[in-house]
Amino acid sequence: MYKTLRNLAGLTLLGLLAACGTQQTQSTLTQADAQALSEAAQGDLQLTGAMLGDASSAALSAQGQVDSLDANAQTWGLPRRIHLFLRAVGVLYLPPSGSGNCAISTSPSPLVDADDDGVPANATTSYDCSYTGSGGISYNLNGSISLQDTNDNQPYSGYSVTFTNFKARVSGDNRSVERTLNGSYSIDKQDATLFKISKNYTHSVSKTVFNNTYTGSLVFNVSKTYAPDNDGNSNPWDAGTITVDKNNPGSATWTRGNNTRSLIWYTDPTLHWNRTACQNPLGRMMNFDNGAKEFVYTNPAGQTSTLRIEFSGCGQFSVTLNGQPVQP
């Protein structure tokens, strides 16, 4: 149960708040800060994985790994790309269409997806669900997710996703985690060899353990490039490099309790996405095999704290704070 809740937390800005309590402004990041921030960074990587994941009609059947989430999402008529976003934010189960206590709608219906890339020309899925899955785990879904294809007559032209008060809550065993997404991100084709990824969204988390509740949020604002290894031939999202230039870094506003910190972040070296070699469609979609992200906080006195997440193989990574290992 605890592992399931931890997976759902994805962007958990939460676990160590119990130990830290309400903090005053700190001169540098602590190990506790680093653990929570690394969870946030991993959650963003999962959403990037969902953005570049395989949403083709043949993908899941070819791999022979269709689970109940995918099968039941199809009965609701959800766009295939939505399956990946639900999984990325920790939604591990959906009841089949027609089940009580769950209402999911898609507009327009039927979907228009002329290029069969799993992203409709324009569609919004809305959720109002409260149901129980295996092991007595309770789920709640609310809000909406919208998709828009940049050019529905051209696969891999790019698309955007917008979250509007989208909330996913899982609870059981005196624990609950609720995640709320607002804002949007997109991937757009610039030319045959380059894509632009833009993110401007907020991810808020609330975790309750027995009678204690802890909250936090992370706001991302960044523009980065994705360069496919195959120079745009075939499926450009099979593998490629993701770059956030250190000289033009992304920004992130991180709030925990009464503390709000402004961070910059970049890739050093560039991240390499490789779903061809690494893809685990039913896993966390962390299909990166090398590269690193660095998040830097500079306090008012000019002291810096650097959190580094570095990949050494498919989905394998280490986390350090100022060069020292961060405990999981």
Side-chain angles (χ1 to χ4, degrees), residues 4 11 22 28 71 90 101 115 154 163 176 186 189 192 199 226 229 255 258 263 270 280 294 297 302 315 317:
T4 299
L11 297 187
T22 301
T28 57
N101 302 318
D115 56 9
Q154 182 183 344
F163 297 97
S176 67
S186 62
K189 189 173 185 177
K199 294 185 177 183
Y226 173 75
D229 289 353
T255 301
N258 293 329
L263 312 175
T270 57
N280 177 9
E294 288 193 346
Y297 168 64
F317 60 91

Side-chain angles (χ1 to χ4, degrees), residues 16-26 28-34 36 254 256-261:
L16 294 167
L17 287 168
C20 298
T22 301
Q23 302 176 2
Q24 303 301 317
T25 301
Q26 298 174 337
T28 57
L29 297 183
T30 65
Q31 275 277 327
D33 293 324
W254 180 35
R256 289 178 61 201
N258 293 329
N259 291 336
T260 297
R261 295 183 174 99

Side-chain angles (χ1 to χ4, degrees), residues 42-54 81 84-85 88 159 199 242 273 275 279 284-288:
Q42 291 173 50
D44 183 62
L45 286 166
Q46 287 177 250
L47 287 170
T48 298
M51 173 179 283
L52 297 171
D54 193 347
R81 179 66 58 184
L84 300 181
F85 288 126
Y159 67 91
K199 294 185 177 183
I242 295 175
W273 166 258
R275 77 179 190 194
Q279 188 168 14
R284 301 182 65 199
M285 289 176 287
M286 297 276 275
N287 301 321
F288 303 93

